[in-house]
């Protein structure tokens, strides 16, 4: 796709790792991304995200931190079993227990990778680890050796690498490679680096570490100063050949390098950055939507590549230019990121065959007959209410249907009285474990009345952390996509619901979260007993 580069690397002879102009994409949405508060995903959701990343051509998918919890362990194991072409990485601290647990979760993968790390900056060694540099150095050798005895593919990261003293960084990187690390990942853990300085750091490693050609050099940049993408690209310019990133840039604090931004920058500017990736960029929009709905983290409208306005041209002068020649104001096509022109899909007369074809076009391969039938039924209901049904509507509706197929508590009907005269009331019918249940509640506004009715039918102690409404398309008849975040005994879950009626979408989202909590309770009960 991109041109070949003849550039020398960091002023040095080309290393083995940078011989190719191919940049590996390492996605850590399921590990570093999930570490941001409120961002938790359950096992089934993690597998869905992993499958779309694999379909997209992501080289390595970091599926979690297996020793962190049994949930994380199970998710890494299921992702490891589900993927066929991407490598699956599991994170481990520098201890045998962590590394063994990671290997246990990864060992069924077609391409497993253990990713182990230890802090190396003076501050982290002194305050966090309370270890002397010599002890840190030996622990790195021991942990990488142990990991390599289990797995042929081992990545090692010096946490807080960008604030590590250069002499010490060179020494530990050389030792980690000698101990068997096949990828050396340099993190800018606190998002402190600036591009020139960060690329100089990578060049310095190429210049001073004698065995650097035996490993792939990777970078892992956080976005505290908004420089994660710039720092990652600067590092690639001097020889790094793996970028660690997340969908929508999610992650702790200001997040990680955004996959869609870094990949589209490489694709759009091969003249300035002659490197290629394996990512099929036309899947970006669908992956972004999936991660945003599952995590309840909305994408800001002006976010590069995946924001709702990223390809919108409001100003008359821009619209005029784009109509004459799209290149006047568009540096990439909407199609290149999988945005089909908000094209009218079908109306209420469309049949199931056309619906099946549309699902295929949108990239939904095998949903299974039940999910397709339910989605089709909901499409027909929507087409009855909404004049124009767009691709975005179908994506939201199908994602919503998939999430609700195995729910214990199901929505049946809702009747609401709202308005300024009050009281606002909600008549709600649910199906709970196959039994019909009904109630009527009033509240301080219709949402309050609806949520009280849910609580009356499904008593629980969870507290509401977030209630968020988002319109799927423009227009007053747009579907509402609602996210509800509930917290119970330190566990947080996100529920999503979509419907042309905002209050029905709110019920669906609340029930989705409750269903997830009840699955969590069932799963954690045996552990609680054995603890
Ligand atoms: O930010 C960081 O340093 C990390 C490491 C575990 C790679 O996430
Ligand atoms: Zn990180």
């Amino acid at each position: 796709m991109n041109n070949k580069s003849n550039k020398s690397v960091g002023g040095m002879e080309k290393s083995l790792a940078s011989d190719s102009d191919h940049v590996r994409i390492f996605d850590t949405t399921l590990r570093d991304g999930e570490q941001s508060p409120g961002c938790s995903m359950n096992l089934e959701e993690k597998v869905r995200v992993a499958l779309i990343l694999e379909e997209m051509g992501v080289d390595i998918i970091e599926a979690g931190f297996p020793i962190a919890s049994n949930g994380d362990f199970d998710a890494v194991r299921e992702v490891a079993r589900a993927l066929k072409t991407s490598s699956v990485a599991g994170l481990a601290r520098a201890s045998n227990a962590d590394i063994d647990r990671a290997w246990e979760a990864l060992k069924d993968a077609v391409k497993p990778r253990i990713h182990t790390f230890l802090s190396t900056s003076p501050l982290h060694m002194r305050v966090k680890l309370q270890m002397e540099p010599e002890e840190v150095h030996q622990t790195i050798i021991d942990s990488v050796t142990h990991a390599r005895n289990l797995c042929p593919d081992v990545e090692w990261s010096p946490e807080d690498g960008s604030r590590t003293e250069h002499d010490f960084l060179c020494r530990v990187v050389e030792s980690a490679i000698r101990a068997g690390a096949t990828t050396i990942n340099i993190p800018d853990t606190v998002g402190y680096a600036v591009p020139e300085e960060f690329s100089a750091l990578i060049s310095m490693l190429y210049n001073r570490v004698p065995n650097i050609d035996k490993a792939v050099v990777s970078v892992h940049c956080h976005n505290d100063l908004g420089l994660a993408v710039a720092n990652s690209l600067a590092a690639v310019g001097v020889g790094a050949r793996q970028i660690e990133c997340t969908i929508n840039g999610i992650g702790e604090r200001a997040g990680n390098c955004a996959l869609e931004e870094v990949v589209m920058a490489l694709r759009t500017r091969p003249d300035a950055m002659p490197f290629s990736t394996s990512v099929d960029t036309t899947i970006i929009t669908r992956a972004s939507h999936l991660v945003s709905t599952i995590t309840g983290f909305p994408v800001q409208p002006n976010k590069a590549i995946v924001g709702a306005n990223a390809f919108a041209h409001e100003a008359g002068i821009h619209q005029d230019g784009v109509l004459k020649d799209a290149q006047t104001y568009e540096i990439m096509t909407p199609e290149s990121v999988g945005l089909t022109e908000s094209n009218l899909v079908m109306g209420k007369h469309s049949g199931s065959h056309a619906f099946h074809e549309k699902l295929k076009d949108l990239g939904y391969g095998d949903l299974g007959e039940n999910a397709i039938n339910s989605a089709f039924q909901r499409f027909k209901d929507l087409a009855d209410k909404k004049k124009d049904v767009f691709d975005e509507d179908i994506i939201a509706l199908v994602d919503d249907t998939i999430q609700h197929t195995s729910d214990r508590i199901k929505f049946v009907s809702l009747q609401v009285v709202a308005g300024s005269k009050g009281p606002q009331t909600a008549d709600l019918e649910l199906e709970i474990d196959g039994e019909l249940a009904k109630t009527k509640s009033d509240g301080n506004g219709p949402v309050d009345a609806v949520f009280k009715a849910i609580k009356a039918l499904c008593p629980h102690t969870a507290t509401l952390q977030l209630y968020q409404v988002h319109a799927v398309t423009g227009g007053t008849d747009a579907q509402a996509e609602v996210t509800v975040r509930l917290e119970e005994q330190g566990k947080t879950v996100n529920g999503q619901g979509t419907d042309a009626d905002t209050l029905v979408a709110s019920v669906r989202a609340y029930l989705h979260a409750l269903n997830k909590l009840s699955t969590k309770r069932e799963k954690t009960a045996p552990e609680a007993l054995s603890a």
Side-chain angles (χ1 to χ4, degrees):
M1 175 188 15
N2 293 337
N3 303 331
K4 283 269 165 196
S5 163
N6 296 318
K7 270 199 206 162
S8 72
V9 172
M12 294 264 298
E13 292 294 301
K14 277 187 175 184
S15 71
L16 184 130
S18 60
D19 252 353
S20 139
D21 297 326
H22 179 75
V23 176
R24 294 158 185 81
I25 297 298
F26 176 115
D27 180 279
T28 182
T29 305
L30 300 176
R31 198 277 298 170
D32 222 348
E34 210 227 6
Q35 266 171 236
S36 55
C39 219
S40 70
M41 302 177 223
N42 65 23
L43 188 149
E44 185 253 321
E45 290 166 338
K46 285 187 180 177
V47 173
R48 282 175 64 206
V49 171
L51 287 172
I52 203 167
L53 292 171
E54 179 171 65
E55 184 187 343
M56 203 191 253
V58 166
D59 302 275
I60 305 109
I61 296 168
E62 187 163 52
F65 194 175
I67 203 150
S69 69
N70 288 348
D72 247 47
F73 176 89
D74 290 344
V76 175
R77 194 181 47 192
E78 288 317 305
V79 169
R81 289 176 178 168
L83 299 191
K84 304 280 177 292
T85 53
S86 302
S87 296
V88 183
L91 189 68
R93 286 167 301 187
S95 77
N96 286 1
D98 268 51
I99 293 168
D100 291 344
R101 191 77 176 140
W103 178 242
E104 190 57 33
L106 290 166
K107 65 180 192 225
D108 295 339
V110 177
K111 296 186 200 165
R113 171 180 293 192
I114 296 176
H115 176 193
T116 182
F117 71 100
L118 190 63
S119 289
T120 51
S121 66
L123 183 67
H124 276 223
M125 289 193 288
R126 192 179 71 248
V127 178
K128 183 178 140 177
L129 302 178
Q130 298 183 336
M131 282 165 84
E132 291 301 321
E134 281 316 308
E135 208 186 332
V136 168
H137 181 229
Q138 191 55 49
T139 307
I140 291 163
I141 297 173
D142 295 345
S143 53
V144 173
T145 305
H146 184 65
R148 187 57 202 265
N149 283 336
L150 298 169
C151 181
D153 188 359
V154 173
E155 172 169 331
W156 181 72
S157 298
E159 191 183 1
D160 207 17
S162 57
R163 294 194 299 172
T164 297
E165 284 174 351
H166 289 191
D167 287 354
F168 189 61
L169 188 62
C170 289
R171 196 167 155 229
V172 290
V173 166
E174 184 183 347
S175 296
I177 297 173
R178 205 173 314 113
T182 44
T183 298
I184 294 291
N185 175 48
I186 307 298
D188 181 27
T189 303
V190 289
Y192 181 71
V194 296
E196 263 188 37
E197 172 195 47
F198 196 59
S199 63
L201 180 72
I202 303 300
S203 292
M204 188 278 297
L205 291 174
Y206 273 109
N207 285 320
R208 292 185 49 193
V209 176
N211 56 358
I212 195 79
D213 59 327
K214 304 280 187 300
V216 172
V217 174
S218 166
V219 288
H220 175 110
C221 297
H222 279 268
N223 205 30
D224 300 65
L225 293 174
L227 292 170
V229 171
N231 286 336
S232 305
L233 292 172
V236 166
V238 295
R241 287 295 178 272
Q242 175 176 292
I243 296 177
E244 303 204 351
C245 45
T246 59
I247 297 286
N248 299 336
I250 63 168
E252 280 195 277
R253 308 184 309 276
N256 289 60
C257 171
L259 181 150
E260 61 282 0
E261 293 180 20
V262 88
V263 166
M264 285 310 287
L266 290 172
R267 186 183 195 272
T268 308
R269 293 302 309 275
D271 53 328
M273 296 175 289
F275 310 103
S276 64
T277 73
S278 309
V279 171
D280 174 355
T281 59
T282 63
I283 298 179
I284 283 177
T285 298
R286 199 154 54 86
S288 164
H289 181 263
L290 183 68
V291 169
S292 167
T293 27
I294 284 178
T295 58
F297 271 47
V299 175
Q300 78 192 54
N302 61 332
K303 162 91 174 59
I305 318 296
V306 289
N309 296 349
F311 291 90
H313 301 280
E314 278 291 328
I317 188 165
H318 286 202
Q319 282 179 348
D320 183 54
V322 169
L323 286 175
K324 286 181 179 138
D325 180 346
Q327 287 184 30
T328 47
Y329 287 99
E330 267 179 14
I331 58 166
M332 354 165 219
T333 63
E335 291 76 20
S336 66
V337 299
L339 262 181
T340 48
E341 251 173 64
S342 259
N343 46 343
L344 189 60
V345 185
M346 297 164 288
K348 58 181 170 183
H349 302 297
S350 312
S352 70
H353 181 70
F355 186 70
H356 268 79
E357 288 306 305
K358 191 74 212 173
L359 291 186
K360 274 197 224 144
D361 275 3
L362 292 172
Y364 292 101
D366 351 290
L367 289 180
E369 208 172 322
N370 285 351
I372 292 182
N373 290 343
S374 319
F376 180 61
Q377 194 46 55
R378 286 188 58 187
F379 158 72
K380 292 296 258 185
D381 292 346
L382 181 67
D384 267 342
K385 292 183 200 144
K386 191 172 186 286
K387 195 168 131 267
D388 299 333
V389 180
F390 298 98
D391 285 356
E392 291 93 320
D393 287 314
I394 302 275
I395 292 172
L397 182 150
V398 174
D399 282 349
D400 189 65
T401 307
I402 298 170
Q403 318 218 64
H404 295 276
T405 39
S406 55
D407 286 353
R408 270 188 57 214
I409 313 165
K410 292 194 166 82
F411 171 73
V412 178
S413 76
L414 175 71
Q415 205 59 45
V416 174
V417 176
S420 58
K421 293 213 171 108
Q424 291 85 19
T425 58
D427 273 285
L428 180 66
E429 278 186 309
L430 302 178
E431 188 191 300
I432 305 171
D433 292 329
E435 301 277 319
L436 199 64
K438 305 180 192 201
T439 195
K440 180 172 183 161
S441 296
D442 53 25
N444 191 10
V447 176
D448 190 43
V450 164
F451 285 4
K452 279 188 176 144
I454 296 176
K455 197 154 189 177
L457 292 178
C458 320
H460 58 271
T461 56
T463 54
L464 182 69
Q465 305 274 299
L466 173 89
Y467 170 68
Q468 181 176 278
V469 184
H470 162 82
V472 173
T473 57
T476 49
D477 63 352
Q479 286 192 96
E481 204 166 43
V482 174
T483 303
V484 162
R485 184 173 301 150
L486 297 180
E487 197 265 341
E488 190 185 53
Q489 291 169 5
K491 298 207 160 72
T492 307
V493 289
N494 289 305
Q496 296 82 32
T498 307
D499 200 276
D501 184 309
T502 308
L503 292 167
V504 173
S506 305
V507 176
R508 289 188 190 280
Y510 203 118
L511 296 184
H512 186 219
L514 278 182
N515 279 305
K516 280 171 137 183
L517 269 182
S518 79
T519 320
K520 261 197 175 178
R521 273 187 229 115
E522 279 161 25
K523 283 205 177 139
T524 46
E527 280 166 40
L529 285 176
S530 64

